[in-house]
Amino acid sequence: MTQSAAENEDDLLTLMFMLCGGMATGMFSFGVLLNPVRDWMVQYHLLAQGAEVVIPFVDGIGFGWPQIVVVAGLIVALVATVVWLRRRARERV
C-alpha cells in the first residue's frame, strides 16, 4: 500500500512531536530524580532554585520565569513550524 507525500509528511510530523515530547519528559524526569543531573541542570540554568522558582518540581527546584519564557518560545516556534509545513504541503497539491 503506497502513501501520498502528505500522509508521509503527517507521519513524520507525528514522529517528530513524539520524539521531542519524549526527550523533554526524559530530561526533566532525570533532573528531578538524579541529584548529579539536577545539580548540573541548576548550574546551567535549565532549572531554577530557591526563591526564583515559579513552578516547583522537587526540593525547591523547578522552573523560574526565564525557563518558562524559553519553553513558551520553543512551543511557539514548534507551532509556527507546523503551520508553515502544513501551508507548504497544501500549496504543493
Side-chain angles (χ1 to χ4, degrees), residues 10-25 78:
D10 288 344
D11 291 344
L12 183 63
L13 193 60
T14 302
L15 288 173
M16 185 178 75
F17 274 122
M18 291 172 58
L19 180 64
C20 290
M23 285 175 32
T25 302
L78 187 62

Side-chain angles (χ1 to χ4, degrees), residues 69-82:
V69 169
V70 169
V71 168
L74 289 173
I75 291 171
V76 167
L78 187 62
V79 168
T81 303
V82 168

